[in-house]
Structures are given as C-alpha cells and as structure tokens.
Amino acid sequence: DTQLLSHRDSTCQVALSIFSGLYHDFVKSTMDEVGDPNLVLVVHSGMCDAVEKSSWLATLDILKQRSNIPCVITSYTEGEILQNAAAIRDSGLELSLEPQLNPFRGLRPHPETPQVREGMDSSGKEPEGVQDSQFHYCNNYLLIVGG
C-alpha cells in the first residue's frame, strides 16, 4: 500500500511516497507510478538481524542496479551500522559515506531494550567487549550507499 503526498507552489515541488513493505517490492509494484526517487531512506533496517537478513538480498540487488540513487541507512548503535556496512560491502556495493555518528540523530534518549542492544544474541547475553548502556538514540548512526 503506497501513500503519495505532494506539495506544489510556484517555486518548488515536493512529492513524498510512503510504502509499507520491502524496497524491492516497492520498486516492482509502484515505480511506473511514482518514478525514480531522489533519495531512499532506510530507518533502522534490521539488515543484520538473523531473521531479516535474507529479505535484504533482493533489495541490495536493486540498490546495485540503481547505484545513482543515494540510499541513507540508519541504525541505533555503532555495532549495528558496522555490521550493515560489512553486509553491504559483501553484496558488492560500495559506500559513498562510511558509517558515522548521524548529525541529525534523535536527541531524546530511549530506554534500552534487548531488541536494540548491540550484538545481543537470542539468549539475551551481550558479547565480550560490548558496554552495557541503559539508553539508545533513534537514527544514531548512518551510512550512505550510491548516489
């Protein structure tokens, strides 16, 4: 299901497409309707989550085919963004912007939950060397592919 929002006046034109689903499904089902985007934004992708990882393969293939379109990917933690970067490189894509702290990150701390704890395995234990944090920030880290 795609929502199309637009604003036009004499000086600018803005169109925002919001799609609930996987990016490669969006490209297949609506690209004729909305055209190529100027930017793809992936918020807290879950790309390196064991359950979600396989669903990213088709999307990474689409990003390779459309490497002229910048794709911004955000994560909660540094560990997660570094894992995302490794998965992206392993797929054959190059990063336009290396993983870094997002200058536009959320400033409000959120209580830490097991789902966003860096590197946490299914047993709920953190690996050695990961500091215990009581808070995380939305869109805390980012990287850019393509563009």
Side-chain angles (χ1 to χ4, degrees):
D1 186 26
T2 303
Q3 285 183 312
L4 298 175
L5 308 171
S6 63
H7 166 76
R8 296 173 199 239
D9 66 25
S10 62
T11 59
C12 73
Q13 176 181 331
V14 176
L16 174 64
S17 300
I18 301 169
F19 179 82
S20 179
L22 303 173
Y23 181 66
H24 59 271
D25 292 335
F26 169 77
V27 170
K28 290 176 189 172
S29 66
T30 64
M31 200 51 73
D32 291 338
E33 181 182 343
V34 298
D36 283 339
N38 294 68
L39 175 73
V40 174
L41 177 62
V42 180
V43 178
H44 306 298
S45 70
M47 186 183 302
C48 292
D49 181 88
V51 175
E52 303 293 330
K53 195 171 190 173
S54 64
S55 69
W56 274 94
L57 299 176
T59 294
L60 291 172
D61 284 340
I62 295 281
L63 293 175
K64 276 189 253 182
Q65 295 166 18
R66 299 170 175 267
S67 62
N68 61 318
I69 301 170
C71 178
V72 177
I73 299 173
T74 70
S75 73
Y76 292 111
T77 67
E78 182 178 25
E80 181 184 24
I81 202 71
L82 293 174
Q83 289 176 349
N84 289 347
I88 288 165
R89 285 187 185 105
D90 289 347
S91 77
L93 282 163
E94 293 184 23
L95 301 180
S96 304
L97 182 70
E98 292 293 322
Q100 61 182 267
L101 199 58
N102 182 356
F104 306 105
R105 67 191 172 275
L107 299 177
R108 188 178 111 209
H110 297 274
E112 188 68 85
T113 62
Q115 290 81 9
V116 297
R117 194 164 278 168
E118 191 171 350
M120 185 172 280
D121 64 21
S122 59
S123 70
K125 296 180 182 174
E126 292 179 345
E128 265 185 62
V130 174
Q131 295 180 0
D132 186 25
S133 172
Q134 294 180 339
F135 300 98
H136 71 272
Y137 297 87
C138 289
N139 304 305
N140 205 18
Y141 289 87
L142 65 77
L143 61 77
I144 300 177
V145 178

mmCIF file of all heavy atoms in Angstrom, residues 48-51 77 83 112-128 130:
data_model
loop_
_atom_site.group_PDB
_atom_site.id
_atom_site.type_symbol
_atom_site.label_atom_id
_atom_site.label_comp_id
_atom_site.label_asym_id
_atom_site.label_seq_id
_atom_site.Cartn_x
_atom_site.Cartn_y
_atom_site.Cartn_z
ATOM 1 N N CYS A 48 21.036 -6.760 9.619
ATOM 2 C CA CYS A 48 21.923 -7.796 10.144
ATOM 3 C C CYS A 48 21.241 -8.725 11.140
ATOM 4 O O CYS A 48 21.871 -9.608 11.695
ATOM 5 C CB CYS A 48 23.152 -7.149 10.765
ATOM 6 S SG CYS A 48 24.152 -6.381 9.494
ATOM 7 N N ASP A 49 19.956 -8.516 11.361
ATOM 8 C CA ASP A 49 19.183 -9.411 12.208
ATOM 9 C C ASP A 49 19.060 -10.749 11.481
ATOM 10 O O ASP A 49 18.760 -10.790 10.291
ATOM 11 C CB ASP A 49 17.805 -8.799 12.465
ATOM 12 C CG ASP A 49 16.962 -9.665 13.353
ATOM 13 O OD1 ASP A 49 17.049 -9.517 14.584
ATOM 14 O OD2 ASP A 49 16.210 -10.490 12.800
ATOM 15 N N ALA A 50 19.287 -11.837 12.186
ATOM 16 C CA ALA A 50 19.284 -13.162 11.552
ATOM 17 C C ALA A 50 17.978 -13.452 10.821
ATOM 18 O O ALA A 50 17.972 -14.051 9.749
ATOM 19 C CB ALA A 50 19.552 -14.234 12.604
ATOM 20 N N VAL A 51 16.859 -13.000 11.360
ATOM 21 C CA VAL A 51 15.556 -13.258 10.746
ATOM 22 C C VAL A 51 15.355 -12.401 9.499
ATOM 23 O O VAL A 51 14.798 -12.856 8.504
ATOM 24 C CB VAL A 51 14.421 -12.989 11.769
ATOM 25 C CG1 VAL A 51 13.053 -13.125 11.130
ATOM 26 C CG2 VAL A 51 14.558 -13.915 12.963
ATOM 27 N N THR A 77 22.799 1.653 16.861
ATOM 28 C CA THR A 77 24.101 1.509 17.507
ATOM 29 C C THR A 77 25.241 1.492 16.500
ATOM 30 O O THR A 77 25.052 1.192 15.316
ATOM 31 C CB THR A 77 24.172 0.200 18.324
ATOM 32 O OG1 THR A 77 24.133 -0.902 17.413
ATOM 33 C CG2 THR A 77 23.036 0.095 19.335
ATOM 34 N N GLN A 83 27.992 -3.621 11.174
ATOM 35 C CA GLN A 83 27.530 -4.888 10.599
ATOM 36 C C GLN A 83 26.803 -4.640 9.279
ATOM 37 O O GLN A 83 26.974 -5.392 8.317
ATOM 38 C CB GLN A 83 26.606 -5.616 11.575
ATOM 39 C CG GLN A 83 27.307 -6.172 12.778
ATOM 40 C CD GLN A 83 26.329 -6.793 13.770
ATOM 41 O OE1 GLN A 83 25.108 -6.643 13.657
ATOM 42 N NE2 GLN A 83 26.868 -7.484 14.755
ATOM 43 N N GLU A 112 16.826 1.395 26.892
ATOM 44 C CA GLU A 112 17.367 0.280 26.120
ATOM 45 C C GLU A 112 16.457 -0.929 26.233
ATOM 46 O O GLU A 112 15.902 -1.207 27.287
ATOM 47 C CB GLU A 112 18.760 -0.070 26.652
ATOM 48 C CG GLU A 112 19.506 -1.074 25.824
ATOM 49 C CD GLU A 112 19.891 -0.522 24.480
ATOM 50 O OE1 GLU A 112 20.928 0.123 24.381
ATOM 51 O OE2 GLU A 112 19.134 -0.753 23.529
ATOM 52 N N THR A 113 16.288 -1.636 25.118
ATOM 53 C CA THR A 113 15.544 -2.892 25.104
ATOM 54 C C THR A 113 16.435 -3.959 24.483
ATOM 55 O O THR A 113 17.361 -3.640 23.740
ATOM 56 C CB THR A 113 14.249 -2.766 24.265
ATOM 57 O OG1 THR A 113 14.607 -2.463 22.922
ATOM 58 C CG2 THR A 113 13.340 -1.696 24.825
ATOM 59 N N PRO A 114 16.163 -5.220 24.756
ATOM 60 C CA PRO A 114 17.013 -6.276 24.177
ATOM 61 C C PRO A 114 17.062 -6.241 22.656
ATOM 62 O O PRO A 114 18.067 -6.614 22.068
ATOM 63 C CB PRO A 114 16.354 -7.566 24.675
ATOM 64 C CG PRO A 114 15.639 -7.176 25.915
ATOM 65 C CD PRO A 114 15.179 -5.749 25.679
ATOM 66 N N GLN A 115 15.994 -5.785 21.992
ATOM 67 C CA GLN A 115 15.973 -5.802 20.536
ATOM 68 C C GLN A 115 17.004 -4.867 19.924
ATOM 69 O O GLN A 115 17.439 -5.086 18.808
ATOM 70 C CB GLN A 115 14.593 -5.410 20.005
ATOM 71 C CG GLN A 115 13.529 -6.441 20.261
ATOM 72 C CD GLN A 115 12.958 -6.361 21.668
ATOM 73 O OE1 GLN A 115 13.223 -5.436 22.423
ATOM 74 N NE2 GLN A 115 12.182 -7.360 22.032
ATOM 75 N N VAL A 116 17.377 -3.792 20.600
ATOM 76 C CA VAL A 116 18.328 -2.854 20.011
ATOM 77 C C VAL A 116 19.697 -2.913 20.673
ATOM 78 O O VAL A 116 20.588 -2.186 20.300
ATOM 79 C CB VAL A 116 17.805 -1.392 20.068
ATOM 80 C CG1 VAL A 116 16.557 -1.265 19.243
ATOM 81 C CG2 VAL A 116 17.583 -0.916 21.480
ATOM 82 N N ARG A 117 19.852 -3.790 21.652
ATOM 83 C CA ARG A 117 21.139 -3.876 22.322
ATOM 84 C C ARG A 117 22.175 -4.428 21.362
ATOM 85 O O ARG A 117 21.986 -5.450 20.731
ATOM 86 C CB ARG A 117 21.043 -4.745 23.568
ATOM 87 C CG ARG A 117 22.266 -4.576 24.449
ATOM 88 C CD ARG A 117 22.040 -5.092 25.817
ATOM 89 N NE ARG A 117 21.350 -4.089 26.588
ATOM 90 C CZ ARG A 117 20.804 -4.330 27.754
ATOM 91 N NH1 ARG A 117 20.846 -5.528 28.266
ATOM 92 N NH2 ARG A 117 20.207 -3.380 28.412
ATOM 93 N N GLU A 118 23.257 -3.724 21.244
ATOM 94 C CA GLU A 118 24.312 -4.016 20.271
ATOM 95 C C GLU A 118 24.842 -5.438 20.410
ATOM 96 O O GLU A 118 25.337 -5.829 21.446
ATOM 97 C CB GLU A 118 25.434 -3.029 20.532
ATOM 98 C CG GLU A 118 26.497 -2.979 19.513
ATOM 99 C CD GLU A 118 27.430 -1.819 19.773
ATOM 100 O OE1 GLU A 118 27.141 -0.975 20.620
ATOM 101 O OE2 GLU A 118 28.463 -1.782 19.123
ATOM 102 N N GLY A 119 24.691 -6.198 19.334
ATOM 103 C CA GLY A 119 25.296 -7.523 19.283
ATOM 104 C C GLY A 119 24.652 -8.559 20.163
ATOM 105 O O GLY A 119 25.196 -9.633 20.341
ATOM 106 N N MET A 120 23.494 -8.284 20.728
ATOM 107 C CA MET A 120 22.893 -9.226 21.655
ATOM 108 C C MET A 120 22.417 -10.464 20.907
ATOM 109 O O MET A 120 21.822 -10.372 19.848
ATOM 110 C CB MET A 120 21.719 -8.569 22.368
ATOM 111 C CG MET A 120 21.107 -9.438 23.431
ATOM 112 S SD MET A 120 19.903 -8.543 24.397
ATOM 113 C CE MET A 120 20.986 -7.674 25.501
ATOM 114 N N ASP A 121 22.690 -11.618 21.469
ATOM 115 C CA ASP A 121 22.232 -12.843 20.825
ATOM 116 C C ASP A 121 20.865 -13.250 21.387
ATOM 117 O O ASP A 121 20.310 -12.592 22.252
ATOM 118 C CB ASP A 121 23.277 -13.963 20.980
ATOM 119 C CG ASP A 121 23.504 -14.383 22.430
ATOM 120 O OD1 ASP A 121 22.627 -14.127 23.275
ATOM 121 O OD2 ASP A 121 24.551 -14.988 22.706
ATOM 122 N N SER A 122 20.327 -14.365 20.889
ATOM 123 C CA SER A 122 18.977 -14.769 21.273
ATOM 124 C C SER A 122 18.867 -15.143 22.749
ATOM 125 O O SER A 122 17.779 -15.159 23.305
ATOM 126 C CB SER A 122 18.517 -15.930 20.401
ATOM 127 O OG SER A 122 19.405 -17.015 20.546
ATOM 128 N N SER A 123 19.986 -15.434 23.408
ATOM 129 C CA SER A 123 19.936 -15.758 24.831
ATOM 130 C C SER A 123 19.844 -14.502 25.690
ATOM 131 O O SER A 123 19.636 -14.579 26.890
ATOM 132 C CB SER A 123 21.186 -16.544 25.234
ATOM 133 O OG SER A 123 22.332 -15.690 25.195
ATOM 134 N N GLY A 124 20.003 -13.329 25.058
ATOM 135 C CA GLY A 124 19.924 -12.079 25.815
ATOM 136 C C GLY A 124 21.253 -11.656 26.409
ATOM 137 O O GLY A 124 21.334 -10.682 27.140
ATOM 138 N N LYS A 125 22.330 -12.386 26.105
ATOM 139 C CA LYS A 125 23.645 -12.041 26.634
ATOM 140 C C LYS A 125 24.403 -11.185 25.642
ATOM 141 O O LYS A 125 24.364 -11.426 24.438
ATOM 142 C CB LYS A 125 24.450 -13.303 26.924
ATOM 143 C CG LYS A 125 23.845 -14.151 28.005
ATOM 144 C CD LYS A 125 24.689 -15.377 28.236
ATOM 145 C CE LYS A 125 24.030 -16.244 29.299
ATOM 146 N NZ LYS A 125 24.732 -17.512 29.452
ATOM 147 N N GLU A 126 25.114 -10.189 26.158
ATOM 148 C CA GLU A 126 25.945 -9.353 25.296
ATOM 149 C C GLU A 126 27.295 -10.019 25.102
ATOM 150 O O GLU A 126 27.826 -10.649 26.010
ATOM 151 C CB GLU A 126 26.155 -7.984 25.934
ATOM 152 C CG GLU A 126 24.887 -7.167 25.986
ATOM 153 C CD GLU A 126 25.109 -5.814 26.635
ATOM 154 O OE1 GLU A 126 26.144 -5.620 27.277
ATOM 155 O OE2 GLU A 126 24.228 -4.967 26.485
ATOM 156 N N PRO A 127 27.882 -9.893 23.925
ATOM 157 C CA PRO A 127 29.211 -10.463 23.707
ATOM 158 C C PRO A 127 30.258 -9.687 24.499
ATOM 159 O O PRO A 127 30.020 -8.570 24.929
ATOM 160 C CB PRO A 127 29.418 -10.296 22.197
ATOM 161 C CG PRO A 127 28.495 -9.214 21.792
ATOM 162 C CD PRO A 127 27.340 -9.238 22.753
ATOM 163 N N GLU A 128 31.414 -10.301 24.673
ATOM 164 C CA GLU A 128 32.504 -9.633 25.384
ATOM 165 C C GLU A 128 32.862 -8.319 24.722
ATOM 166 O O GLU A 128 32.863 -8.204 23.499
ATOM 167 C CB GLU A 128 33.756 -10.530 25.378
ATOM 168 C CG GLU A 128 33.884 -11.373 26.613
ATOM 169 C CD GLU A 128 35.177 -12.137 26.589
ATOM 170 O OE1 GLU A 128 36.259 -11.513 26.572
ATOM 171 O OE2 GLU A 128 35.089 -13.367 26.562
ATOM 172 N N VAL A 130 31.245 -5.470 24.732
ATOM 173 C CA VAL A 130 30.135 -4.549 24.491
ATOM 174 C C VAL A 130 29.732 -3.931 25.816
ATOM 175 O O VAL A 130 29.456 -4.629 26.777
ATOM 176 C CB VAL A 130 28.920 -5.277 23.854
ATOM 177 C CG1 VAL A 130 27.730 -4.346 23.754
ATOM 178 C CG2 VAL A 130 29.299 -5.813 22.497
#
